[in-house]
Amino acid sequence: MTVALTTRRASDVRVIGLISLAHGSSHFFHLILPPMFPWLKAEFGFNYAELGLLMTIFFVVSCIVQAASGFLVDRIGARPVLFAGIGLLALAALTYSQSNGYGMLVLGAIIAGCGNGIFHPVDYTLINHKISPANLPYAYSIHGVTGYLGWAAAPAFMVAMTALFDWRIAFLGAAVLEALVLLILWISRARLVDDVQARREESQNDHAASNPGGAPLSTFGFMKLPAVWLCWIFFFFNMASTTGLQSFAPTALFEIYELSVSSGNYYLTLMSIGGAGGMLLGGYLATRIKVPERIITMCFTVNIVMGLLLATGQVPPEIIVLAFVVIGLGLGIAAPSRDLMIRSATPSGSSGRVYGIVYSGIDLGAALSPLIFGIFLDIGLPKFLFIGVALLQLMIILIGFKVSTLGSRKTV
């Protein structure tokens, strides 16, 4: 028995390592374009509104593809969709590197959005079906940590490559990195086999057991579940609050506290580091506290307090640093419990479709949040960034409790 458990644990470690590598690379590609904005502006004369629109295009395309790719994952399996997504990200970076105007940058953003849109349906399908239940919280934790590391690595890599060479070489370097990720996954492809037929049979068997004599499980039946759409709203608010801070916290801190923008970016780095550490702690807590919504509530309650304190304009600089670290910790600690809560609301055998729809809320939240919070800053209301983020996080708590009450109703 001990040998079997050790073997299974080793297999789980290898699988989650491969999936997390892919996930980290997707987050890396979230941020290869924004650090290049000053160089692209100097090269082509674009304004920042035009450059910002590229990220909106990226996330809107990713939202659409994410909702659709889940159905493809459930039909042909996760592995081929994963390979296609990584290949598209490499192609997007190559397209950026050869850009001769705005049109090619738009094309690159569209290709990158298509590549990015496959990752959550693929990743969570593989995690939920290839990782043993006892190790799921740890798997979610490591998966999330690599996302934060991808975010942290991209600006440093792109700026360093541009300083050493130029912006075109920086994008070529990103393409090479993604090609290496694809090569590693291809070499280890046997560990990423997804038994689609077994998932279908599991889904039909669970449906038959809960609905004796009922109609067969339908492809779109899961969309009737209120829990699925509550999860979508949950992720929309979650990413809207996070993206709001990532986009405008440095500017808001400058307006409210007269702190330099560089200091504000430093605080965001600390928030990301806190998030990565929180992910590790969150995986441990999720295995000990079996009620995910309680962890989510505690974390976001603390974050709401931090946000409202920052909005007062009376917080000393040393406390501002602490507030951003605490916010990052809260986001990270809550994430594994969040993923377990979503899993509890997912019908068996439908994980690709459900995660595709649910996680499309992330992309739409990321696309719309900067536009809304940007208006507040444009009209001279920077404090409303922190107040708005606090309100979004309050909605996350309320929706989390509602999802937990519906999670057991998985009959479709």
Side-chain angles (χ1 to χ4, degrees):
M1 178 65 72
T2 303
V3 175
L5 288 174
T6 302
T7 302
R8 181 57 193 265
R9 185 177 296 113
S11 175
D12 285 354
V13 169
R14 294 186 184 97
V15 171
I16 192 57
L18 294 169
I19 298 170
S20 296
L21 174 65
H23 184 237
S25 76
S26 77
H27 277 243
F28 181 90
F29 269 74
H30 288 182
L31 293 179
I32 67 166
L33 191 56
M36 298 295 97
F37 283 171
W39 285 275
L40 294 173
K41 186 174 186 293
E43 178 82 11
F44 298 109
F46 303 137
N47 59 44
Y48 282 114
E50 290 172 320
L51 293 168
L53 180 61
L54 295 173
M55 295 307 297
T56 299
I57 292 170
F58 168 81
F59 280 115
V60 168
V61 171
S62 181
C63 173
I64 296 169
V65 171
Q66 188 149 214
S69 64
F71 292 89
L72 190 61
V73 167
D74 285 340
R75 184 173 182 83
I76 68 172
R79 188 176 65 176
V81 180
L82 173 62
F83 290 163
I86 292 176
L88 286 170
L89 289 181
L91 178 60
L94 185 62
T95 303
Y96 288 145
S97 74
Q98 302 303 309
S99 294
N100 56 10
Y102 195 72
M104 283 194 71
L105 290 172
V106 169
L107 177 61
I110 292 172
I111 296 171
C114 290
N116 183 71
I118 63 93
F119 279 91
H120 285 120
V122 164
D123 291 359
Y124 284 105
T125 294
L126 290 171
I127 289 173
N128 288 337
H129 291 90
K130 298 191 74 68
I131 304 297
S132 55
N135 290 328
L136 276 175
Y138 301 111
Y140 291 141
S141 177
I142 297 300
H143 180 260
V145 167
T146 56
Y148 276 98
L149 294 178
W151 276 339
F157 176 84
M158 297 300 292
V159 171
M161 289 289 287
T162 303
L164 289 172
F165 305 103
D166 61 29
W167 64 269
R168 294 186 185 275
I169 298 298
F171 283 124
L172 280 174
V176 170
L177 285 180
E178 196 68 1
L180 289 174
V181 170
L182 181 57
L183 177 62
I184 292 170
L185 295 177
W186 176 259
I187 292 171
S188 304
R189 61 190 180 278
R191 297 190 179 278
L192 300 174
V193 173
D194 176 29
D195 193 337
V196 179
Q197 185 59 36
R199 288 200 283 118
R200 288 175 183 167
E201 292 175 358
E202 176 189 5
S203 177
Q204 295 294 345
N205 290 339
D206 286 355
H207 179 70
S210 58
N211 294 272
L217 182 67
S218 65
T219 300
F220 297 94
F222 76 96
M223 298 181 75
K224 300 176 184 177
L225 291 173
V228 169
W229 296 106
L230 283 171
C231 290
W232 187 95
I233 298 171
F234 180 98
F235 276 107
F236 177 87
F237 286 139
N238 191 21
M239 195 60 180
S241 64
T242 302
T243 305
L245 287 174
Q246 290 175 330
S247 300
F248 294 116
T251 303
L253 291 173
F254 173 76
E255 296 290 341
I256 300 170
Y257 294 95
E258 298 183 350
L259 293 172
S260 68
V261 174
S262 61
S263 295
N265 281 301
Y266 166 71
Y267 296 153
L268 287 181
T269 299
L270 290 178
M271 187 176 81
S272 293
I273 294 172
M279 285 276 189
L280 295 174
L281 178 58
Y284 172 81
L285 291 177
T287 63
R288 299 295 186 272
I289 303 174
K290 303 297 184 179
V291 188
E293 64 270 20
R294 291 184 182 176
I295 296 177
I296 291 169
T297 297
M298 289 186 291
C299 291
F300 282 107
T301 297
V302 172
N303 282 5
I304 288 170
V305 172
M306 293 297 103
L308 294 177
L309 281 175
L310 290 170
T312 64
Q314 305 298 318
V315 181
E318 59 272 16
I319 303 300
I320 295 176
V321 174
L322 179 62
F324 275 87
V325 173
V326 170
I327 289 171
L329 279 170
L331 293 172
I333 292 171
S337 293
R338 171 203 72 188
D339 293 332
L340 286 171
M341 183 182 69
I342 302 304
R343 183 176 185 269
S344 72
T346 302
S348 299
S350 303
S351 58
R353 286 167 280 169
V354 172
Y355 279 100
I357 292 294
V358 165
Y359 277 82
S360 68
I362 285 181
D363 293 319
L364 194 58
L368 295 181
S369 173
L371 297 176
I372 296 171
F373 284 119
I375 293 172
F376 287 127
L377 268 72
D378 284 338
I379 62 177
L381 296 174
K383 293 182 179 180
F384 274 68
L385 170 67
F386 299 111
I387 295 172
V389 167
L391 290 174
L392 289 171
Q393 293 178 339
L394 175 60
M395 294 302 299
I396 291 169
I397 293 173
L398 298 177
I399 293 168
F401 272 102
K402 188 64 176 177
V403 170
S404 69
T405 63
L406 296 176
S408 61
R409 305 177 189 177
K410 303 189 330 187
T411 300
V412 294

